[in-house]
């Protein structure tokens, strides 16, 4: 109330005296009493500003909420908290806008969503959930605010007006990962500069009149080039340039694509926005037509795009990786001393844009021997509010972009360029190779190569925590896995690159180690962990099957094995892997208190975060190892939609079959065989104690995709998934048949990396497959039918079984081709004779060679992995196998294995789906954050149709 009186009711000349009098607090003297002229003019002159102050005073006197719940919106509360905290951080003093460094922002865009259309909003998925229905349930308070803003009482009123529908489209788009959201966020820079320039340039009278007078000028002010309004329009444009590099805009415009219209609308609504694109034009030279490529920059004038610059290119701009090429062709249109490369799924906030002047001053600050060339900026992950997966990723990413990068920058001095909020010294980089290396394959992760390039050319990369930019992350398990695969591919290519080689040679010893462990070393270590599990299991199995383990255990018991047991116990504790969560605990503790940090870690463990991170380990290792062996890394589009939907079993099988399921089943078979033949674990307790961490790995790799799949244990979904999977695996491929429709097309696609690998890659693929032969060698000597014979002939005879199986498979395959259509009776007779022969052979073995039922089970454990090894070798030697006409048999064998693997994985999921409480438990597990905020997640999962 005092502020309203001193700021709005006191006469201007007396105002400072009034404030001085208030600060002195002389006892017994009444404030504002007996001043001449009168200190207070009441009633004051009625102006819009005065009416706003009265409304504000009324709100302050009548509001019921406690201060801790203001503002009620969680995102607004977080933004206010970070902004106020950041003001106490160490940051350079901001210069006047006229004297600040000028900068540009660049956003690469291909064909992602720009603004959601009306049909997008209303389109329902298989559960009857539309985007608008989803957002209404996830952001109920913001939806109510939106209805109030457009003066609508209920949802049906919104659809009655085209203007309201347009507003609704923008409201939805600003909550997704769209170009519209990114442009809105980046244009806050201009608004912030305009406000700050007003405070720099306006006189005291103009400041007292308020900023609204500048934003709503008279016609005279608009026409005058010397007016404050004209200066405030010009100055931000001199200091800030925003270029959206929409490389396909020309093609989209010619084809009448809706996205082109949306991009044009963005330019019309934001007159300072510029769009760069590649124009393909056919021109005739010497009587011959040829394609000519231009880089074109356009702006909006009178609701149309107007060309500003057109630069002829020497050829097609898309010769390397798409995204860096998109940035490279448009960098010439940027201006100023600094350049910020912002990704398409990012956002910005007005209060953060106010600090950009301070950040740019870092280029003039002392940061050691060399001036900074890249200013690192922290990110806020805005997609972690609904599902547990999004929350895990958000916490992991937050710890990396804060405490992780802070340590990398200082004291380790090995921070590179990881996130797109980083600000480049533009002049430094465009004279030293640019900000985006774009060679196909090797520069898949183009951002970190910019950091390598900067460091190798005597640059200095710093990190600053007082300013942040929003970042969208993947929110579904399949999206997260695609992202992890892309990063693993990128790290594999970095390992093979000359940049890492040069850095390793030029760094001092400590920076070299720091660089290794914070880049490719993490992936090498992850691969070593998994390889260690394999080596440990195969080693223990070798000891058991060879009889060495029994001798070692006997010797240890005679001498005393207390020390060995103590060492194994400590190993099991370390295997919990909680150290990986330490950076997360520290960062949450520093920002929100250690009590909150430990609480969140406990809740994450209860929501099976350990299962998720173990599953992610498998993704990283598989794709990193494949890239090292075979190369061929490629960009994987992860999708940026709203994901709370059920993924079909066939989709999960296609995505995780090679990276997780085959490896998980292999480790499971090794653990089962070890339990059967081990001498060191006579009882179940000792066995569990020794292998619990590996069983945890198996369960995580086999069942995490279903555990983190919404409605993953709902019986009706399970039935539909089984029908879909059977249809997919039975379908024959062909030219033009996508992998999602046919198992054969998918199987061929999965071997694509082997087509382009070298001789060395094929050799190592064969060598790695030989482990199954050694495994078979160990087991066949323990069959009763072997009668304790240790001759090599036993192993040789075991191969006769495999050869016989291959011959039978070939006969059936040839019979199907020759007789199945015209001579069905002949084909059935062949299958009957084969079956009778198999039964007779089994009877003879039981009668003459002491074969037991246990031997049959053990033989399956021995020979099934051998068959898989033969499959792997056949795929690695595909040209040779095709040459001898065995490829169709290999394909038939592979299909049989896929059936078996699918059944092994699907059966436990189907059994759990019988119990309704499992589905309820899983829903609570996945969406605990939503339940705790009172969101109606059940209605989203149940479907919008039923609830309307």
């Amino acid at each position: 109330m005092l502020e309203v009186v001193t700021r709005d009711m006191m006469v201007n000349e007396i105002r400072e005296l009034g404030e001085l009098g208030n600060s002195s607090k002389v006892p017994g003297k009444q404030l504002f009493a007996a001043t001449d002229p009168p200190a207070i003019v009441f009633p004051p002159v009625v102006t819009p500003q005065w009416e706003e102050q009265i409304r504000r005073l009324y709100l302050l006197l009548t509001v019921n909420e406690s201060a801790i719940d203001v503002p009620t919106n969680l995102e607004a509360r977080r933004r206010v908290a970070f902004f106020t905290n950041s003001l106490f951080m160490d940051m350079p003093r901001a210069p006047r806008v006229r004297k600040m460094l000028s900068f540009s922002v660049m956003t690469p865009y291909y064909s992602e969503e720009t603004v959601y259309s009306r049909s997008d909003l209303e389109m329902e998925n298989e559960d009857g959930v539309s985007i608008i229905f989803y957002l209404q349930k996830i952001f109920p308070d913001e939806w109510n605010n939106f209805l109030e803003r457009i003066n609508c009482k209920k949802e049906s009123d919104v659809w009655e007006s085209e203007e309201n529908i347009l507003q609704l489209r923008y409201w939805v788009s600003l909550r997704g990962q769209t170009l519209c959201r990114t442009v809105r966020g980046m244009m806050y820079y201009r608004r912030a500069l305009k406000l700050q320039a007003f405070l720099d340039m306006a006189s005291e009278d103009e400041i007292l009149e308020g900023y609204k007078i500048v934003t709503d000028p008279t016609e005279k002010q608009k026409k005058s080039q010397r007016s404050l309004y004209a200066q405030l329009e010009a100055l931000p444009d001199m200091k800030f340039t925003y270029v959206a590099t929409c490389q396909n805009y020309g093609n989209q415009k010619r084809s009448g694509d809706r996205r082109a219209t949306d991009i044009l609308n963005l330019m019309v609504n934001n007159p300072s926005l510029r769009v760069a694109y590649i124009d393909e034009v056919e021109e005739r030279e010497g009587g011959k037509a040829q394609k000519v490529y231009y880089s074109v920059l356009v702006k909006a004038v009178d609701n149309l795009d107007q060309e500003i610059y057109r630069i002829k290119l020497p050829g097609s701009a898309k010769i390397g990786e798409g995204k860096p090429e998109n940035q490279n062709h448009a960098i010439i249109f940027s201006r100023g001393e600094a350049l910020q490369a912002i990704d398409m799924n990012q956002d910005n906030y007005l209060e953060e844009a106010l600090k950009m002047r301070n950040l740019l001053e870092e280029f003039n600050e002392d940061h050691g021997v060399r001036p900074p060339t890249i200013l690192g900026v922290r990110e806020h992950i805005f997609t972690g509010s609904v599902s547990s997966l999004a929350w895990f990723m958000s916490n992991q990413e937050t710890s990396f972009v804060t405490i992780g990068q802070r340590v990398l920058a200082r004291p380790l001095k090995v921070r590179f360029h990881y996130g797109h909020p980083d600000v480049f010294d533009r002049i430094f980089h465009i004279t030293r190779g640019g900000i985006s290396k774009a060679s196909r394959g090797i520069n898949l992760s183009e951002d970190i190569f910019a950091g390598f390039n900067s460091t190798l050319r005597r640059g200095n990369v710093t990190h600053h925590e007082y300013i942040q930019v929003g970042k969208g992350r993947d929110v579904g398990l399949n999206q997260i896995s695609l992202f992890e695969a892309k990063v693993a591919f990128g790290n594999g290519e970095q390992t093979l690159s000359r940049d890492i080689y040069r850095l390793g040679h030029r760094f001092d010893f400590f920076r070299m180690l720091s660089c290794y462990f914070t880049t490719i070393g993490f992936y090498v270590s992850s691969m070593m962990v998994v390889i260690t599990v394999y080596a440990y299991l195969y080693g223990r199995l070798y000891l058991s099957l060879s009889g060495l383990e029994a001798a070692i255990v006997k010797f240890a018991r005679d001498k005393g094995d207390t020390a060995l047991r103590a060492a194994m116990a400590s190993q099991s504790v370390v295997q919990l892997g909680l150290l990986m969560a330490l950076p997360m605990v520290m960062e949450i503790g520093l920002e929100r208190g250690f009590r909150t940090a430990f609480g969140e870690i406990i809740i994450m463990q209860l929501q099976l975060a350990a299962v998720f991170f173990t599953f992610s380990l498998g993704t990283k290792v598989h794709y990193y190892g494949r890239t090292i062996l075979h190369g061929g890394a490629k960009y994987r589009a992860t999708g940026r939609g709203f994901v709370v939907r059920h993924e079909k079993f066939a989709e999960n099988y296609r995505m995780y079959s090679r990276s997780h399921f085959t490896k998980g089943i292999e480790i499971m078979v090794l653990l089962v065989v070890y339990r059967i033949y081990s001498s060191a674990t006579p009882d179940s307790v000792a066995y569990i104690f020794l292998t619990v961490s590996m069983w945890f790995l198996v369960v995580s790799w086999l069942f995490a995709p279903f555990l983190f799949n919404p409605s993953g244990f709902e019986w009706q979904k399970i039935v539909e998934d089984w029908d879909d999977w059977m249809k997919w695996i039975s379908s024959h491929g062909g030219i033009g048949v996508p992998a999602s429709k046919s198992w054969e097309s998918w199987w061929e696609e999965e071997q694509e990396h082997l087509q382009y690998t070298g001789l060395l890659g094929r050799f190592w693929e064969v060598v790695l497959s030989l482990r199954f032969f050694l495994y078979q060698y160990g087991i066949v000597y323990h069959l009763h039918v072997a009668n304790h014979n240790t001759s090599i002939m036993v192993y040789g005879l075991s191969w006769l079984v495999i050869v016989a199986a291959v011959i039978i498979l070939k006969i059936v395959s040839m019979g199907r081709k020759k007789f199945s259509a015209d001579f069905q009776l002949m084909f059935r007779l062949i299958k009957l004779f084969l079956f009778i022969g198999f039964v007779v052979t089994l009877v003879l073995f039981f009668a003459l060679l002491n074969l037991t039922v246990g031997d049959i089970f053990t033989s399956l454990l021995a020979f099934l992995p051998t068959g898989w090894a033969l499959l792997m070798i056949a795929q690695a030697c595909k040209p040779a196998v095709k040459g001898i006409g065995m490829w169709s048999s290999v394909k038939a064998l592979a299909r049989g294995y896929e059936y078996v693997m699918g059944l092994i994985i699907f059966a436990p999921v189907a059994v759990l789906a019988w119990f309704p409480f499992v589905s309820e438990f899983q829903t609570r597990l996945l969406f605990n954050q939503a339940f705790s905020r009172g969101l109606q997640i059940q209605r989203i999962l149940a479907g919008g149709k039923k609830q309307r």
Side-chain angles (χ1 to χ4, degrees):
M1 293 172 69
L2 178 66
E3 182 185 340
V4 171
V5 171
T6 56
R7 297 290 179 189
D8 295 287
M9 295 171 64
M10 291 190 73
V11 180
N12 295 342
E13 291 80 3
I14 311 296
R15 182 174 297 146
E16 291 183 9
L17 291 174
E19 290 178 356
L20 185 63
N22 179 40
S23 62
S24 64
K25 296 182 181 177
V26 178
K29 183 178 179 183
Q30 188 177 353
L31 193 60
F32 311 134
T35 57
D36 189 33
I40 298 176
V41 175
F42 190 84
V45 179
V46 177
T47 63
Q49 288 75 26
W50 168 247
E51 290 178 349
E52 186 175 328
Q53 290 293 345
I54 291 295
R55 281 196 296 270
R56 180 180 166 215
L57 178 60
Y58 176 77
L59 178 66
L60 290 171
L61 292 173
T62 57
V63 71
N64 292 321
E65 288 90 348
S66 62
I68 197 167
D69 294 326
V70 178
T72 54
N73 184 275
L74 296 177
E75 176 64 7
R77 204 181 302 173
R78 182 200 64 78
R79 283 172 58 178
V80 170
F82 178 80
F83 180 70
T84 50
N85 286 337
S86 71
L87 296 179
F88 295 93
M89 295 182 191
D90 185 21
M91 70 174 87
R93 189 176 181 83
R96 296 170 71 88
V97 176
R98 282 190 182 277
K99 294 184 178 179
M100 70 175 281
L101 295 177
S102 55
F103 71 105
S104 295
V105 176
M106 194 161 63
T107 299
Y109 168 87
Y110 184 64
S111 61
E112 296 89 347
E113 213 43 79
T114 309
V115 179
Y116 287 110
S117 66
R118 177 172 180 171
S119 59
D120 290 334
L121 304 191
E122 296 177 311
M123 186 185 299
E124 296 176 343
N125 65 9
E126 60 183 14
D127 295 324
V129 177
S130 62
I131 289 177
I132 185 65
F133 179 79
Y134 173 82
L135 291 177
Q136 286 170 356
K137 299 296 172 277
I138 297 301
F139 304 110
D141 54 337
E142 294 180 30
W143 173 249
N144 292 331
N145 293 343
F146 171 72
L147 290 179
E148 184 182 330
R149 251 193 332 270
I150 61 174
N151 297 319
C152 291
K153 298 293 184 186
K154 53 186 184 297
E155 183 188 346
S156 56
D157 297 343
V158 178
W159 303 101
E160 293 173 359
S161 161
E162 286 298 321
E163 179 61 31
N164 287 347
I165 292 172
L166 182 63
Q167 292 292 329
L168 178 63
R169 287 177 58 201
Y170 277 105
W171 183 83
V172 172
S173 302
L174 293 175
R175 277 146 192 82
Q177 298 180 47
T178 59
L179 181 65
C180 167
R181 180 176 189 160
T182 306
V183 169
R184 189 274 309 261
M186 295 308 118
M187 292 311 292
Y188 279 141
Y189 282 133
R190 190 177 185 280
R191 285 179 62 181
L193 290 177
K194 193 173 177 181
L195 171 60
Q196 289 167 329
F198 169 74
L199 296 174
D200 285 346
M201 300 164 62
S203 64
E204 186 179 353
D205 291 339
E206 287 170 326
I207 289 176
L208 290 174
E209 287 176 8
Y211 184 61
K212 286 186 177 180
I213 293 177
V214 179
T215 57
D216 190 19
T218 63
E219 287 299 321
K220 182 181 177 182
Q221 289 173 323
K222 285 183 180 180
K223 289 177 182 177
S224 170
Q225 294 186 356
R226 298 186 136 229
S227 67
L228 181 61
Y229 171 80
Q231 293 180 60
L232 293 179
E233 286 294 314
L235 190 55
D237 287 337
M238 291 169 62
K239 296 296 180 180
F240 167 69
T241 306
Y242 185 30
V243 180
T245 66
C246 311
Q247 62 183 17
N248 268 352
Y249 176 65
N251 294 332
Q252 289 169 341
K253 195 165 57 170
R254 278 191 289 270
S255 63
D257 193 326
R258 173 178 60 82
R259 292 181 181 86
T261 307
D262 291 336
I263 291 170
L264 178 59
N265 288 338
L266 286 177
M267 285 194 283
V268 171
N269 295 334
N270 302 279
S272 298
L273 173 64
R274 303 289 181 262
V275 169
Y277 67 94
I278 298 168
D279 196 18
E280 301 176 15
V281 182
E282 282 209 358
E283 294 182 358
R284 300 189 72 84
E285 277 189 26
K288 189 169 150 188
Q290 61 178 9
K291 270 195 176 179
V292 181
Y293 298 87
Y294 292 92
S295 279
V296 183
L297 186 72
V298 295
K299 66 177 179 179
V301 177
D302 296 331
N303 294 333
L304 296 171
D305 53 355
Q306 184 183 81
E307 200 172 291
I308 307 172
Y309 299 114
R310 173 175 288 262
I311 300 170
K312 189 173 182 179
L313 302 174
S316 174
K318 296 184 234 178
I319 55 175
E321 291 294 339
K323 185 173 158 189
E325 292 286 24
N326 197 3
Q327 292 183 161
N328 284 337
H329 94 89
I331 195 171
I332 196 169
F333 299 127
S334 62
R335 295 182 300 165
E337 290 93 342
L339 175 64
Q340 189 176 30
I342 289 287
D343 213 350
M344 216 291 296
N345 59 342
Q346 297 196 247
D347 194 8
N348 199 11
Y349 314 109
L350 179 61
E351 67 276 11
E352 300 305 312
L354 294 169
K355 293 178 278 190
M356 193 62 180
R357 291 185 303 172
N358 306 75
L359 180 66
L360 292 173
E361 277 302 294
E362 295 283 0
F363 282 117
N364 300 322
E365 294 288 307
D366 181 15
H367 288 281
V369 178
R370 301 189 185 100
T373 52
I374 298 178
L375 304 178
V377 176
R378 67 176 274 166
E379 296 172 314
H380 163 69
I381 312 302
F382 58 70
T383 49
S385 60
V386 180
S387 72
S388 59
L389 288 180
W391 187 47
F392 299 157
M393 279 298 286
S394 173
N395 279 338
Q396 183 188 36
E397 196 73 13
T398 299
S399 66
F400 173 68
V401 300
T402 51
I403 194 169
Q405 294 193 18
R406 188 159 66 233
V407 170
L408 294 186
R410 188 176 179 185
L412 298 183
K413 280 295 187 185
V414 290
R415 188 192 187 277
F416 300 112
H417 170 48
Y418 306 98
H420 290 274
D422 292 359
V423 180
F424 292 86
D425 181 335
R426 180 174 167 273
I427 307 301
F428 178 92
H429 284 90
I430 63 173
T431 56
R432 289 166 178 81
I435 65 166
S436 305
K437 286 193 170 185
S439 299
R440 192 174 292 281
I442 199 78
N443 295 132
L444 183 70
S445 301
E446 88 291 339
D447 48 2
I448 198 167
F449 281 96
F452 292 160
N453 187 44
S454 188
T455 304
L456 284 167
R457 296 173 187 272
R458 301 172 70 83
N460 183 12
V461 185
T462 61
H463 183 70
H464 309 281
E465 294 260 0
Y466 53 79
I467 184 171
Q468 68 178 2
V469 172
K471 175 83 170 176
R473 270 282 172 245
D474 313 287
V475 293
L477 184 64
N478 288 8
Q479 288 179 309
I480 291 169
S481 296
L482 284 170
F483 172 74
E484 297 271 17
K486 183 174 73 175
V487 175
F489 272 143
N491 274 271
E493 295 293 355
Q494 288 167 40
T495 309
L496 306 174
S497 71
R498 64 184 69 180
D499 301 70
I500 281 285
Y501 173 80
R502 287 169 177 165
L503 283 169
H505 271 257
R506 286 158 178 75
F507 274 155
D508 59 69
F509 181 71
F510 300 103
R511 282 183 82 190
M512 180 187 72
L513 287 182
S514 302
C515 173
Y516 168 75
F517 280 106
T518 55
T519 53
I520 60 171
F522 173 72
Y523 285 83
V524 174
S525 302
S526 299
M527 196 159 67
M528 292 290 286
V529 167
V530 176
I531 289 173
T532 303
V533 170
Y534 275 88
Y536 176 78
L537 277 176
Y538 274 103
R540 294 297 297 239
L541 198 61
Y542 166 75
L543 292 173
S544 298
L545 296 174
S546 64
L548 281 172
E549 189 178 59
I552 293 168
V553 168
K554 184 176 181 303
F555 181 79
R557 281 177 184 157
D558 292 343
K559 297 291 183 183
D561 57 355
T562 311
L564 178 64
R565 289 176 181 273
M568 290 168 72
S570 64
Q571 175 199 21
S572 298
V573 172
V574 172
Q575 282 171 350
L576 292 173
L578 293 176
L579 288 175
M580 290 294 289
L582 188 59
M584 212 181 294
V585 175
M586 291 303 296
E587 183 55 36
I588 298 172
L590 288 171
E591 294 201 355
R592 290 156 54 198
F594 283 97
R595 181 179 171 185
T596 306
F598 286 117
E600 291 208 353
I601 289 297
I602 291 167
I603 292 170
M604 284 177 69
Q605 296 307 318
L606 292 175
Q607 289 186 261
L608 305 183
V611 173
F612 167 72
F613 288 121
T614 306
F615 185 81
S616 294
L617 174 72
T619 309
K620 294 184 182 86
V621 169
H622 174 75
Y623 290 105
Y624 180 76
R626 177 183 283 189
T627 308
I628 294 295
L629 272 181
H630 307 293
K634 58 183 179 181
Y635 180 81
R636 288 179 170 237
T638 58
R640 294 186 170 121
F642 300 98
V643 176
V644 177
R645 64 187 179 88
H646 176 78
E647 294 287 355
K648 290 185 178 294
F649 176 73
E651 178 61 33
N652 283 329
Y653 189 86
R654 283 192 292 273
M655 183 161 284
Y656 306 117
S657 172
R658 295 298 178 265
S659 59
H660 295 83
F661 294 162
T662 54
K663 294 179 177 66
I665 290 173
E666 180 185 351
I667 295 174
M668 182 176 73
V669 170
L670 291 174
L671 288 167
V672 169
V673 173
Y674 180 64
R675 177 71 186 99
I676 295 169
Y677 295 110
S678 171
S679 306
T681 54
D683 58 350
S684 299
V685 175
Y687 173 75
I688 291 170
F689 186 73
L690 198 63
T691 61
V692 63
S693 60
M694 280 164 281
W695 275 112
F696 180 77
L697 182 78
V698 169
V699 171
S700 299
W701 282 8
L702 293 182
F703 301 110
F706 312 103
L707 198 59
F708 294 114
N709 187 14
S711 306
F713 295 96
E714 192 178 312
W715 180 250
Q716 187 57 41
K717 299 276 189 189
I718 291 287
V719 173
E720 292 170 4
D721 285 1
W722 176 254
D723 292 340
D724 178 70
W725 186 72
M726 288 299 292
K727 189 190 297 182
W728 171 75
I729 204 167
S730 307
S731 174
H732 293 279
I735 297 171
V737 179
S740 59
K741 299 293 182 186
S742 161
W743 171 84
E744 285 187 14
S745 300
W746 168 81
W747 189 65
E748 294 286 351
E749 205 174 86
E750 276 296 309
Q751 304 164 41
E752 201 174 22
H753 62 281
L754 293 171
Q755 295 176 21
Y756 308 109
T757 189
L759 194 61
L760 201 60
R762 292 180 189 275
F763 169 76
W764 281 112
E765 197 74 25
V766 172
V767 168
L768 289 171
S769 301
L770 294 180
R771 67 185 187 273
F772 295 111
F773 297 163
L774 295 174
Y775 160 85
Q776 175 203 342
Y777 175 77
I779 288 183
V780 292
Y781 287 97
H782 286 262
L783 297 173
H784 289 90
V785 75
N787 203 19
H788 303 291
N789 189 342
T790 56
S791 167
I792 192 70
M793 285 297 294
V794 174
Y795 183 58
L797 289 170
S798 73
W799 274 95
L800 283 178
V801 179
I802 295 166
V803 171
V806 170
I807 290 170
I808 290 170
L809 194 69
K810 183 64 180 173
I811 291 170
V812 172
S813 177
M814 289 176 65
R816 183 179 283 110
K817 275 186 179 178
K818 292 191 174 181
F819 305 121
S820 62
D822 301 324
F823 303 97
Q824 288 189 14
L825 181 61
M826 180 68 74
F827 182 54
R828 288 178 183 178
L829 283 172
I830 290 171
K831 289 203 287 187
L832 177 64
F833 289 139
L834 288 171
F835 177 71
I836 292 170
F838 175 71
V839 172
V840 169
T841 306
L842 272 183
V843 170
L844 289 173
F845 272 52
F846 273 111
L848 303 176
L849 298 174
N850 298 324
L851 185 73
T852 64
V853 176
D855 279 353
I856 294 175
F857 175 71
T858 308
S859 299
L860 286 174
L861 286 177
F863 296 138
L864 283 176
T866 305
W868 184 255
L870 292 173
L871 267 179
M872 295 296 101
I873 293 169
Q875 289 174 18
C877 308
K878 184 177 179 180
V881 175
K882 272 192 168 181
I884 60 174
M886 290 290 289
W887 189 246
S888 58
S889 301
V890 169
K891 193 181 289 186
L893 181 63
R895 195 192 297 268
Y897 270 94
E898 305 287 357
Y899 270 117
V900 173
M901 282 197 297
L903 281 169
I904 290 171
I905 296 160
F906 191 83
V909 177
V911 169
L912 288 173
W914 268 95
F915 305 101
F917 68 86
V918 175
S919 182
E920 294 289 330
F921 172 74
Q922 186 217 15
T923 302
R924 182 73 201 214
L925 194 79
L926 267 179
F927 301 104
N928 182 57
Q929 279 73 26
F931 280 112
S932 62
R933 285 167 49 193
L935 304 182
Q936 299 173 348
I937 201 73
Q938 289 283 21
R939 292 188 63 185
I940 295 171
L941 294 173
K945 286 178 181 174
K946 304 170 192 172
Q947 309 294 339
R948 287 179 182 173

